[in-house]
């Protein structure tokens, strides 16, 4: 039985408050609990974007901005980071200032399900470990499609269940028993119980591809990283005459 909500308005409110509460510890715990592998996963994501200098990028559920900062190490682009948690946005803004990136990386507090941008605004949209936390996946995917330019790239980095049975057992043990205990020691105790439960309740690879293709994307692909613990989903917005 589930302890948490995994869809709808209750989930949205819970997630927003949870990330507000853990914002100050988020980076530290991310790197500790993933043993630093999260940095590698975000680097691979950025490589798959095929960015060109001068392009416009929207990083939805930007959190403390790590995808954007990784992008800016390699590309001269303009990025907007949007997050539902006000405190995460404040934290990301401070990081941008301290890294001297405030001119290239701007932040907005907002909802990924209702994006405050015009149609066809961005060349690339990224969302890293955020999509699973969204209350209404279909609504968000429609919005991602709407704000991307025709031919634009949507790239989603997200946890998945690993393929290998042997590795899957180790992963389950770590995710269910170790991670929540370490997390509880440093931050809100339920946040790291929510994490494994949310992964279990999330869409699988086939469902993600189907969702992307049903909401105006084409050429949807999945690439598994680290035995399939994490996957990168990419797709292009269909070029239609309407756009
Ligand atoms: C696990 S963090 C990921 C942060 C960052 N992208 C990263 O890779 O570290 C998930 C983020 O999703 C945000 N989030 C959840 N639901 C959202 C929504 N509906 N709209 C925008 N952001 C949302 C949370 O506030 C949180 O900052």
């Amino acid at each position: 039985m589930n302890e948490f909500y995994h869809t709808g308005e209750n989930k949205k409110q819970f997630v927003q408050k949870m990330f507000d509460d853990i914002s100050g510890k988020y980076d530290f715990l991310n790197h500790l609990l993933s043993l630093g592998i999260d940095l590698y996963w975000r680097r691979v994501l950025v490589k798959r974007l095929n960015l060109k200098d001068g392009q416009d990028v929207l990083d939805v559920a930007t959190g403390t901005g790590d995808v954007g900062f990784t992008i800016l190490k390699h590309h001269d682009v303009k990025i907007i980071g949007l997050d539902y948690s006000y405190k995460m946005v404040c934290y990301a803004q401070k990081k941008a200032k301290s890294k001297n990136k405030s001119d290239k990386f701007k932040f907005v507090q907002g909802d990924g399900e209702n994006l405050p941008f015009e149609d066809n605004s961005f060349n690339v949209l990224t969302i890293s470990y955020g999509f699973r936390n969204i209350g209404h996946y279909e609504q968000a995917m429609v919005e991602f499609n709407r704000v991307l330019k025709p031919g634009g790239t949507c790239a989603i980095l997200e946890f998945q269940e690993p393929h290998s049975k042997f590795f899957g057992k180790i992963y389950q043990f770590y995710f269910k028993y170790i991670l929540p205990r370490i997390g509880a020691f440093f931050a809100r105790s339920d946040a790291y119980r929510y994490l494994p439960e949310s992964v279990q309740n999330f869409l699988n690879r086939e469902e993600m591809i189907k969702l992307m293709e049903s909401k105006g994307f084409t050429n949807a692909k999945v690439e598994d990283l680290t035995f399939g613990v994490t996957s990168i989903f990419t797709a292009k917005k269909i070029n239609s005459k309407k756009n």
Side-chain angles (χ1 to χ4, degrees):
M1 227 184 68
N2 285 332
E3 179 183 354
F4 303 97
Y5 294 105
H6 294 289
T7 184
E9 289 307 312
N10 288 327
K11 173 183 182 181
K12 283 181 79 165
Q13 282 171 21
F14 169 81
V15 164
Q16 186 182 41
K17 170 97 176 58
M18 180 182 76
F19 282 104
D20 267 346
D21 290 348
I22 66 169
S23 55
K25 306 265 170 60
Y26 178 80
D27 280 351
F28 164 72
L29 277 171
N30 238 0
H31 306 328
L32 175 76
L33 294 170
S34 75
L35 308 171
I37 301 171
D38 64 304
L39 301 170
Y40 161 73
W41 290 335
R42 286 194 198 83
R43 270 204 310 275
V44 180
L45 172 75
V46 170
K47 274 194 190 153
R48 298 298 177 264
L49 302 176
N50 294 319
L51 278 164
K52 294 186 183 65
D53 285 356
Q55 288 192 320
D56 290 298
V57 179
L58 175 64
D59 184 38
V60 179
T62 196
T64 59
D66 276 355
V67 167
F69 294 122
T70 309
I71 290 175
L72 289 174
K73 273 189 196 159
H74 305 279
H75 303 280
D76 184 14
V77 293
K78 279 182 279 168
I79 308 177
I80 295 183
L82 174 139
D83 202 281
Y84 205 33
S85 154
Y86 176 70
K87 288 197 179 167
M88 289 295 248
V89 169
C90 293
Y91 199 82
Q93 237 157 2
K94 271 192 210 146
K95 269 171 80 176
K97 214 171 169 193
S98 74
K99 289 173 188 282
N100 248 331
K101 297 290 181 197
S102 301
D103 55 331
K104 294 281 175 191
F105 199 176
K106 309 273 184 213
F107 298 92
V108 178
Q109 195 262 328
D111 185 359
E113 295 177 24
N114 189 9
L115 293 169
F117 307 109
E118 302 277 311
D119 298 358
N120 309 324
S121 298
F122 299 95
N123 303 96
V124 170
L125 183 151
T126 52
I127 175 163
S128 144
Y129 303 108
F131 197 67
R132 174 179 34 87
N133 292 301
I134 295 256
H136 305 90
Y137 302 138
E138 297 207 348
Q139 173 60 27
M141 198 62 82
V142 169
E143 279 293 88
F144 296 176
N145 188 269
R146 181 182 67 75
V147 301
L148 272 169
K149 295 181 184 183
T153 301
C154 174
I156 301 175
L157 180 67
E158 196 47 88
F159 288 116
Q160 282 289 321
E161 303 279 353
H163 286 303
S164 144
K165 277 203 176 135
F166 174 69
F167 189 76
K169 288 219 162 86
I170 300 175
Y171 160 89
Q172 288 293 350
F173 182 78
Y174 177 71
F175 241 52
K176 274 196 184 153
Y177 300 107
I178 310 286
L179 181 140
R181 285 187 168 84
I182 304 176
F185 186 75
F186 293 102
R188 231 181 94 159
S189 68
D190 56 352
Y192 291 86
R193 295 202 305 278
Y194 163 79
L195 172 57
E197 202 182 278
S198 69
V199 177
Q200 253 176 2
N201 282 272
F202 185 52
L203 304 179
N204 65 29
R205 294 169 179 81
E206 292 72 31
E207 289 166 336
M208 279 295 290
I209 298 282
K210 250 192 184 167
L211 176 62
M212 294 178 103
E213 295 202 325
S214 70
K215 299 296 177 221
F217 289 101
T218 184
N219 206 17
K221 288 184 203 141
V222 56
E223 176 185 358
D224 290 333
L225 306 177
T226 319
F227 305 102
V229 170
T230 268
S231 302
I232 299 175
F233 297 91
T234 52
K236 299 266 179 210
K237 174 168 172 173
I238 293 173
N239 271 306
S240 75
K241 280 192 187 139
K242 252 175 38 192
N243 294 317

